[in-house]
PDB file of all heavy atoms in Angstrom:
ATOM      1  N   GLU A 166     103.644  53.903  51.510  1.00  0.00           N
ATOM      2  CA  GLU A 166     103.812  55.011  50.575  1.00  0.00           C
ATOM      3  C   GLU A 166     105.172  55.687  50.752  1.00  0.00           C
ATOM      4  O   GLU A 166     105.837  56.025  49.775  1.00  0.00           O
ATOM      5  CB  GLU A 166     102.682  56.033  50.731  1.00  0.00           C
ATOM      6  CG  GLU A 166     101.338  55.538  50.236  1.00  0.00           C
ATOM      7  CD  GLU A 166     101.369  55.121  48.764  1.00  0.00           C
ATOM      8  OE1 GLU A 166     101.929  55.868  47.924  1.00  0.00           O
ATOM      9  OE2 GLU A 166     100.832  54.040  48.463  1.00  0.00           O
ATOM     10  N   ALA A 167     105.587  55.885  52.007  1.00  0.00           N
ATOM     11  CA  ALA A 167     106.886  56.515  52.280  1.00  0.00           C
ATOM     12  C   ALA A 167     108.025  55.607  51.828  1.00  0.00           C
ATOM     13  O   ALA A 167     109.066  56.096  51.367  1.00  0.00           O
ATOM     14  CB  ALA A 167     107.016  56.847  53.757  1.00  0.00           C
ATOM     15  N   TYR A 168     107.849  54.300  51.952  1.00  0.00           N
ATOM     16  CA  TYR A 168     108.847  53.329  51.488  1.00  0.00           C
ATOM     17  C   TYR A 168     108.996  53.425  49.967  1.00  0.00           C
ATOM     18  O   TYR A 168     110.116  53.502  49.442  1.00  0.00           O
ATOM     19  CB  TYR A 168     108.423  51.924  51.910  1.00  0.00           C
ATOM     20  CG  TYR A 168     109.265  50.812  51.344  1.00  0.00           C
ATOM     21  CD1 TYR A 168     110.554  50.577  51.813  1.00  0.00           C
ATOM     22  CD2 TYR A 168     108.764  49.974  50.360  1.00  0.00           C
ATOM     23  CE1 TYR A 168     111.328  49.543  51.307  1.00  0.00           C
ATOM     24  CE2 TYR A 168     109.521  48.929  49.846  1.00  0.00           C
ATOM     25  CZ  TYR A 168     110.800  48.728  50.318  1.00  0.00           C
ATOM     26  OH  TYR A 168     111.559  47.696  49.803  1.00  0.00           O
ATOM     27  N   LYS A 169     107.865  53.442  49.266  1.00  0.00           N
ATOM     28  CA  LYS A 169     107.883  53.497  47.805  1.00  0.00           C
ATOM     29  C   LYS A 169     108.492  54.794  47.285  1.00  0.00           C
ATOM     30  O   LYS A 169     109.194  54.795  46.276  1.00  0.00           O
ATOM     31  CB  LYS A 169     106.464  53.342  47.254  1.00  0.00           C
ATOM     32  CG  LYS A 169     105.899  51.946  47.394  1.00  0.00           C
ATOM     33  CD  LYS A 169     104.481  51.877  46.863  1.00  0.00           C
ATOM     34  CE  LYS A 169     103.887  50.494  47.011  1.00  0.00           C
ATOM     35  NZ  LYS A 169     102.480  50.449  46.551  1.00  0.00           N
ATOM     36  N   SER A 170     108.231  55.902  47.977  1.00  0.00           N
ATOM     37  CA  SER A 170     108.724  57.206  47.516  1.00  0.00           C
ATOM     38  C   SER A 170     110.175  57.471  47.914  1.00  0.00           C
ATOM     39  O   SER A 170     110.788  58.413  47.418  1.00  0.00           O
ATOM     40  CB  SER A 170     107.843  58.323  48.077  1.00  0.00           C
ATOM     41  OG  SER A 170     108.066  58.493  49.466  1.00  0.00           O
ATOM     42  N   GLY A 171     110.721  56.684  48.843  1.00  0.00           N
ATOM     43  CA  GLY A 171     112.078  56.899  49.317  1.00  0.00           C
ATOM     44  C   GLY A 171     112.137  57.795  50.546  1.00  0.00           C
ATOM     45  O   GLY A 171     113.197  57.975  51.156  1.00  0.00           O
ATOM     46  N   GLU A 172     111.001  58.374  50.932  1.00  0.00           N
ATOM     47  CA  GLU A 172     110.950  59.263  52.089  1.00  0.00           C
ATOM     48  C   GLU A 172     111.311  58.531  53.380  1.00  0.00           C
ATOM     49  O   GLU A 172     112.026  59.075  54.229  1.00  0.00           O
ATOM     50  CB  GLU A 172     109.548  59.866  52.218  1.00  0.00           C
ATOM     51  CG  GLU A 172     109.352  60.735  53.437  1.00  0.00           C
ATOM     52  CD  GLU A 172     107.898  61.124  53.656  1.00  0.00           C
ATOM     53  OE1 GLU A 172     107.033  60.842  52.795  1.00  0.00           O
ATOM     54  OE2 GLU A 172     107.629  61.714  54.721  1.00  0.00           O
ATOM     55  N   LEU A 173     110.843  57.297  53.527  1.00  0.00           N
ATOM     56  CA  LEU A 173     111.111  56.535  54.746  1.00  0.00           C
ATOM     57  C   LEU A 173     112.606  56.260  54.896  1.00  0.00           C
ATOM     58  O   LEU A 173     113.167  56.402  55.983  1.00  0.00           O
ATOM     59  CB  LEU A 173     110.320  55.225  54.766  1.00  0.00           C
ATOM     60  CG  LEU A 173     110.482  54.367  56.014  1.00  0.00           C
ATOM     61  CD1 LEU A 173     110.032  55.121  57.268  1.00  0.00           C
ATOM     62  CD2 LEU A 173     109.687  53.077  55.876  1.00  0.00           C
ATOM     63  N   GLN A 174     113.277  55.882  53.805  1.00  0.00           N
ATOM     64  CA  GLN A 174     114.702  55.619  53.860  1.00  0.00           C
ATOM     65  C   GLN A 174     115.461  56.870  54.292  1.00  0.00           C
ATOM     66  O   GLN A 174     116.347  56.799  55.157  1.00  0.00           O
ATOM     67  CB  GLN A 174     115.215  55.144  52.507  1.00  0.00           C
ATOM     68  CG  GLN A 174     116.701  54.818  52.534  1.00  0.00           C
ATOM     69  CD  GLN A 174     117.182  54.210  51.227  1.00  0.00           C
ATOM     70  OE1 GLN A 174     116.424  53.992  50.313  1.00  0.00           O
ATOM     71  NE2 GLN A 174     118.470  53.936  51.172  1.00  0.00           N
ATOM     72  N   GLU A 175     115.115  58.022  53.747  1.00  0.00           N
ATOM     73  CA  GLU A 175     115.773  59.276  54.129  1.00  0.00           C
ATOM     74  C   GLU A 175     115.560  59.580  55.608  1.00  0.00           C
ATOM     75  O   GLU A 175     116.503  59.951  56.306  1.00  0.00           O
ATOM     76  CB  GLU A 175     115.243  60.434  53.285  1.00  0.00           C
ATOM     77  CG  GLU A 175     115.663  60.417  51.852  1.00  0.00           C
ATOM     78  CD  GLU A 175     115.005  61.527  51.043  1.00  0.00           C
ATOM     79  OE1 GLU A 175     114.613  62.566  51.640  1.00  0.00           O
ATOM     80  OE2 GLU A 175     114.882  61.366  49.829  1.00  0.00           O
ATOM     81  N   LEU A 176     114.339  59.415  56.066  1.00  0.00           N
ATOM     82  CA  LEU A 176     114.021  59.693  57.464  1.00  0.00           C
ATOM     83  C   LEU A 176     114.752  58.755  58.411  1.00  0.00           C
ATOM     84  O   LEU A 176     115.285  59.182  59.439  1.00  0.00           O
ATOM     85  CB  LEU A 176     112.500  59.599  57.671  1.00  0.00           C
ATOM     86  CG  LEU A 176     111.973  60.040  59.020  1.00  0.00           C
ATOM     87  CD1 LEU A 176     112.310  61.508  59.273  1.00  0.00           C
ATOM     88  CD2 LEU A 176     110.458  59.844  59.065  1.00  0.00           C
ATOM     89  N   LEU A 177     114.808  57.460  58.063  1.00  0.00           N
ATOM     90  CA  LEU A 177     115.514  56.497  58.901  1.00  0.00           C
ATOM     91  C   LEU A 177     117.017  56.739  58.907  1.00  0.00           C
ATOM     92  O   LEU A 177     117.671  56.617  59.945  1.00  0.00           O
ATOM     93  CB  LEU A 177     115.195  55.062  58.453  1.00  0.00           C
ATOM     94  CG  LEU A 177     113.771  54.583  58.742  1.00  0.00           C
ATOM     95  CD1 LEU A 177     113.507  53.247  58.076  1.00  0.00           C
ATOM     96  CD2 LEU A 177     113.508  54.508  60.227  1.00  0.00           C
ATOM     97  N   GLU A 178     117.588  57.087  57.765  1.00  0.00           N
ATOM     98  CA  GLU A 178     119.021  57.414  57.709  1.00  0.00           C
ATOM     99  C   GLU A 178     119.325  58.610  58.584  1.00  0.00           C
ATOM    100  O   GLU A 178     120.316  58.618  59.325  1.00  0.00           O
ATOM    101  CB  GLU A 178     119.457  57.670  56.265  1.00  0.00           C
ATOM    102  CG  GLU A 178     119.558  56.414  55.430  1.00  0.00           C
ATOM    103  CD  GLU A 178     119.866  56.680  53.960  1.00  0.00           C
ATOM    104  OE1 GLU A 178     119.989  57.872  53.558  1.00  0.00           O
ATOM    105  OE2 GLU A 178     119.982  55.706  53.207  1.00  0.00           O
TER     106      GLU A 178
END
Side-chain angles (χ1 to χ4, degrees):
E166 289 302 314
Y168 172 73
K169 288 178 181 177
S170 72
E172 176 190 353
L173 182 60
Q174 182 174 358
E175 289 175 25
L176 188 61
L177 290 171
E178 286 175 359

